[in-house]
Amino acid sequence: MINSCPPHCGTPTYLSDTYCPICGDTLDEKRALNNVQDLYPDAFNRLKAHYPNAQLITGQITKTHFYKRTKHTKNNTNSCALWFLTVESTDGIQYRFNVDAENKILVNLKVGDVITFAEPYAVKVPMARDNNTPDAITNDILLDAVVLHTGEGQFLQHVGIHQPINPIEKIITYYFFALLFAVILGGFITLAPHGLNFFKGNFWISVLLIGAPALYFCHRKHREFSQVFEDEKRVYQSFLDILPLMQGVSLTDLAITRKYVQRGMMTYYVTIVIIAYLRKHIIVLIVENLSTIMKRMSIL
């Protein structure tokens, strides 16, 4: 993670650096990284207004653990691949959670990657931990939306576990059982031997008189479920509005880079220098002792 040295130099430095490696000046201790939450405070406030416990965190992966959860039933076996991640946020707080590892976007996650995650409220992995779950997995929190920030762009994985469920299936079920109730009770009344002569032989009248209040009840439930669904969609939209903003933030906007990239390049250059130095001295050594080597070979 980097910030810039004071304006007179501008050299990228790590947050842990005390001095600039180029100009040698003391670095400001108040340096801080950008967070998507800081870049779009209005959108985050709208999210918090609907989801008081919502989180929008940018950080760097410090630990990864790939594993699978399996659920055995009488007829089949289901499994899902997960990453259990430890992420250090821009303010130094560590977060641990699970993300879907079966999507190609996050399949190659590694330590040092920078991610931003948005979470309206905590949701657990659908499959419970079993005896084969590693001890390193300390919770069941499953993230819904994660953006991977790379030098090649930003990639969003949105599972959709918070998406409101359309109540149409529930509504159809209500109407079906209302009609079934009217038919069964209407048939019983029509065929009853005593006391219900008015309805005797008038099956459809019986069904209509019984089904009318049942259908009215279903209609009210239909309106109630539909209104709740529309309200949930409006609330959920505040979460969806965050996702393109997350995906639009680059590493440059966040002022973040991965330490191991620069360290890896430094190791590469040091290795090249050492190899060149050794090759030079080995060649000189061979040339200087060439005559001795030739004499020994001739003796043999």
Side-chain angles (χ1 to χ4, degrees):
M1 299 183 181
I2 65 171
N3 256 313
S4 293
C5 193
H8 66 276
C9 175
T11 302
T13 58
Y14 298 115
L15 288 179
S16 58
D17 289 344
T18 307
Y19 300 95
C20 174
I22 302 301
C23 67
D25 282 358
T26 301
L27 301 179
D28 183 7
E29 293 182 356
K30 296 181 180 180
R31 292 171 298 152
L33 296 172
N34 290 325
N35 190 324
V36 172
Q37 176 181 326
D38 300 326
L39 296 175
Y40 299 103
D42 292 340
F44 181 65
N45 289 335
R46 286 195 296 272
L47 180 65
K48 290 283 285 185
H50 296 297
Y51 300 103
N53 297 321
Q55 292 182 315
L56 180 59
I57 306 295
T58 300
Q60 196 168 31
I61 298 174
T62 57
K63 291 181 182 178
T64 64
H65 196 103
F66 179 85
Y67 73 106
K68 288 188 176 183
R69 293 195 183 194
T70 304
K71 182 178 182 180
H72 300 281
T73 62
K74 186 177 294 185
N75 298 324
N76 56 13
T77 299
N78 298 319
S79 65
C80 63
L82 298 165
W83 285 108
F84 186 75
L85 304 178
T86 301
V87 174
E88 183 176 340
S89 68
T90 55
D91 53 6
I93 300 175
Q94 289 196 341
Y95 296 85
R96 295 177 177 84
F97 45 76
N98 298 271
V99 297
D100 181 9
E102 297 185 347
N103 190 299
K104 63 179 181 180
I105 293 176
L106 302 182
V107 70
N108 293 317
L109 281 180
K110 56 187 176 297
V111 171
D113 282 344
V114 177
I115 65 171
T116 296
F117 65 89
E119 194 64 14
Y121 53 88
V123 173
K124 291 186 177 181
V125 178
M127 294 184 182
R129 282 182 269 180
D130 53 31
N131 295 332
N132 296 322
T133 303
D135 295 335
I137 313 306
T138 57
N139 66 59
D140 299 320
I141 298 173
L142 178 65
L143 291 190
D144 188 5
V146 179
V147 170
L148 174 62
H149 304 273
T150 72
E152 291 74 37
Q154 297 76 244
F155 305 95
L156 169 66
Q157 174 174 287
H158 179 211
V159 179
I161 53 181
H162 296 95
Q163 186 172 354
I165 299 175
N166 194 321
I168 186 63
E169 292 185 4
K170 186 185 294 186
I171 293 169
I172 291 174
T173 301
Y174 268 84
Y175 278 109
F176 172 77
F177 280 106
L179 181 60
L180 182 64
F181 171 76
V183 170
I184 293 175
L185 189 57
F188 174 77
I189 292 174
T190 303
L191 299 174
H194 303 290
L196 298 170
N197 292 330
F198 175 77
F199 295 100
K200 192 172 183 64
N202 298 302
F203 172 73
W204 291 112
I205 294 177
S206 303
V207 171
L208 180 61
L209 292 177
I210 296 170
L215 290 177
Y216 175 72
F217 170 78
C218 291
H219 176 67
R220 293 196 58 171
K221 282 295 181 181
H222 186 173
R223 293 182 59 183
E224 178 185 332
F225 291 152
S226 297
Q227 184 60 51
V228 170
F229 179 58
E230 292 300 320
D231 293 341
E232 289 177 347
K233 285 200 301 183
R234 280 193 291 272
V235 171
Y236 186 63
Q237 188 60 44
S238 66
F239 172 64
L240 295 180
D241 291 341
I242 287 284
L243 304 186
L245 301 180
M246 292 166 52
Q247 192 173 5
V249 177
S250 67
L251 286 176
T252 303
D253 298 327
L254 295 172
I256 297 179
T257 192
R258 292 182 285 276
K259 292 183 180 182
Y260 74 86
V261 173
Q262 292 193 3
R263 289 180 177 175
M265 292 301 293
M266 181 61 70
T267 303
Y268 171 77
Y269 289 124
V270 170
T271 303
I272 292 297
V273 171
I274 292 174
I275 292 174
Y277 176 82
L278 292 175
R279 286 180 59 185
K280 177 181 177 182
H281 283 74
I282 290 173
I283 292 173
V284 171
L285 185 62
I286 292 174
V287 170
E288 290 177 349
N289 295 277
L290 185 59
S291 58
T292 305
I293 294 173
M294 294 298 292
K295 288 179 180 178
R296 290 185 176 179
M297 290 179 65
S298 62
I299 294 173
L300 297 173

